[in-house]
Amino acid sequence: MARFGVSPTRGKMTKDQPARVTVAVLTFIPELEGYYRYRMEVLRACLESILKHTDIPYDLMVFDNGSCEEVVDYLRSLHQARKIDYLMLSGKNLGKIGALQVMFNAAPGELIAYCDDDILFYPGWLSEHVKILDAFPNVGMVSGAPVRNAAGHACWSNQAFIDGLSEGVQVEREHWIPDEWERDWAVSTSRDPDVHLEATKDQQDIRLTTGGVSAYAAANHYQYLAPRQVLLSAIPQEWTGKLMGHMIELDEAIDGQGLLRLSTTERYTRHIGNVISPEFAEEIRQMGIDVYGMKVSHRPRPHWLVRIPRVRPVLNWIYGKLYNILHNVK
């Protein structure tokens, strides 16, 4: 076949280099009804807080796992405005682990700051994550939202580190994480906050300090900073086909490598959930993030049917079956 002319890029070099950190966001909003009714607004709060509050150089990567047209159009608008550096659009839902396999292999940064698409970021979040990762030895994961029960699993490496502490590292145990933060996390994950606080009221938080940098000995798998190679070695190599799950296994795989799972001692990120309450919307506005037009929702008292003992699991099973039928999931 004939060729017309010579490519203008032949022999040229780009001055652009990947940032040390790739901020990677995974989103899946297949519709704007039912469970997903307010998820577009949650996604906007997540991405706009990243854009406003990330304080050191980074590349933003978004992987859309088969969302509806409205969400894809919004993401494309951010990409065209050069706010998203790498936009990956999947025509189908690969499942969370499947999407992470694609994302982590594609991310160009030495470090990956991953989050689900329902996380709010506060000013200075990324530099504080990096500070902890650089200060402590053998760190596999750093989160920005301390949660007390995140220390209850995959903690072998943290304990081994504490048992073998060298001079210059301080260990303190106390009930430090504010109940307000714990309550917010419980509500955003559909837990009863009073039950959660009662269950963790006697649990102490472990705070590690070295070189003037402190961290709690726990991490969350819905938002974290981690070395890219650690994540690639921790996720399954085979295709699982699972739409959700395998996050505890990710925590355990990182812990099994002898790597620390830590979090900041201040709350630099916050789990939103699938709705933005009016109170939370006001906090977001005060942060200078435009939430005009975002749908917010009061959390109503649970329906009487759900309050009947042992009915919720049955309804969840029916909901799951109907979801599979509506979305052609096997």
Side-chain angles (χ1 to χ4, degrees):
M1 296 179 65
R3 177 193 294 270
F4 179 79
V6 178
S7 170
T9 60
R10 178 176 291 183
K12 301 293 180 63
M13 298 287 290
T14 178
K15 294 181 180 179
D16 293 327
Q17 297 291 325
R20 184 188 182 197
V21 181
T22 300
V23 177
V25 182
L26 173 60
T27 186
F28 172 63
I29 307 174
E31 59 189 7
L32 298 178
E33 301 293 339
Y35 176 86
Y36 301 99
R37 180 179 180 186
Y38 301 100
R39 289 291 281 103
M40 180 71 162
E41 288 67 37
V42 172
L43 172 63
R44 284 178 52 195
C46 172
L47 292 178
E48 290 178 23
S49 66
I50 290 174
L51 294 169
K52 183 175 180 64
H53 292 151
T54 308
D55 57 337
I56 60 176
Y58 71 102
D59 293 318
L60 177 57
M61 169 184 285
V62 177
F63 185 96
D64 182 81
N65 208 7
S67 292
C68 61
E69 183 178 355
E70 294 89 341
V71 172
V72 172
D73 287 345
Y74 166 64
L75 295 176
R76 281 178 169 153
S77 71
L78 292 182
H79 182 251
Q80 291 170 357
R82 299 293 190 267
K83 293 181 178 181
I84 295 177
D85 298 288
Y86 308 103
L87 177 59
M88 307 175 73
L89 301 175
S90 176
K92 52 192 174 184
N93 185 357
L94 304 180
K96 186 166 185 178
I97 280 293
L100 295 186
Q101 289 171 323
V102 176
M103 291 178 71
F104 294 165
N105 276 284
E110 168 196 344
L111 306 176
I112 295 177
Y114 169 80
C115 76
D116 295 343
D117 63 351
D118 57 354
I119 306 299
L120 186 75
F121 292 81
Y122 292 97
W125 72 275
L126 185 53
S127 61
E128 291 299 320
H129 283 62
V130 172
K131 184 188 299 183
I132 291 174
L133 188 141
D134 289 341
F136 287 87
N138 301 322
V139 178
M141 180 183 284
V142 179
S143 296
V147 177
R148 186 159 288 120
N149 71 353
H153 72 282
C155 55
W156 175 85
S157 293
N158 284 0
Q159 189 58 52
F161 176 73
I162 293 170
D163 293 342
L165 280 178
S166 58
E167 186 177 351
V169 180
Q170 183 181 11
V171 181
E172 300 169 280
R173 291 177 172 85
E174 198 169 313
H175 197 80
W176 276 299
I177 300 176
D179 284 352
E180 176 189 356
W181 298 359
E182 292 289 310
R183 180 176 291 275
D184 289 342
W185 176 82
V187 170
S188 72
T189 55
S190 298
R191 290 170 169 82
D192 185 316
D194 294 326
V195 172
H196 173 67
L197 290 175
E198 177 64 24
T200 59
K201 67 178 182 179
D202 297 324
Q203 185 175 332
Q204 291 187 318
D205 308 309
I206 302 175
R207 185 170 67 187
L208 308 175
T209 303
T210 183
V213 178
S214 296
Y216 289 132
N220 295 300
H221 49 239
Y222 54 76
Q223 180 275 315
Y224 51 80
L225 174 73
R228 175 175 177 268
Q229 291 303 321
V230 168
L231 293 175
L232 289 176
S233 64
I235 60 175
Q237 301 303 307
E238 71 282 357
W239 195 260
T240 69
K242 293 182 178 180
L243 292 184
M244 295 185 65
H246 215 91
M247 294 300 100
I248 297 296
E249 290 87 344
L250 175 66
D251 294 339
E252 292 172 344
I254 291 174
D255 181 56
Q257 296 180 46
L259 301 174
L260 301 179
R261 298 174 59 253
L262 307 173
S263 66
T264 59
T265 54
E266 296 297 323
R267 185 164 68 172
Y268 283 98
T269 67
R270 179 175 169 182
H271 187 257
I272 302 173
N274 68 334
V275 298
I276 300 175
S277 69
E279 296 78 16
F280 202 174
E282 181 58 32
E283 178 183 342
I284 295 172
R285 289 190 185 97
Q286 291 176 3
M287 293 164 63
I289 295 174
D290 180 17
V291 293
Y292 178 76
M294 286 188 179
K295 298 174 185 175
V296 298
S297 173
H298 291 284
R299 294 181 184 268
R301 177 176 172 81
H303 192 278
W304 65 267
L305 187 60
V306 177
R307 299 200 297 272
I308 298 175
R310 295 185 292 278
V311 165
R312 180 183 288 272
V314 176
L315 294 177
N316 282 334
W317 182 85
I318 295 173
Y319 174 80
K321 292 296 183 182
L322 291 174
Y323 178 90
N324 292 345
I325 293 171
L326 290 171
H327 297 279
N328 195 30
V329 176
K330 297 181 179 180

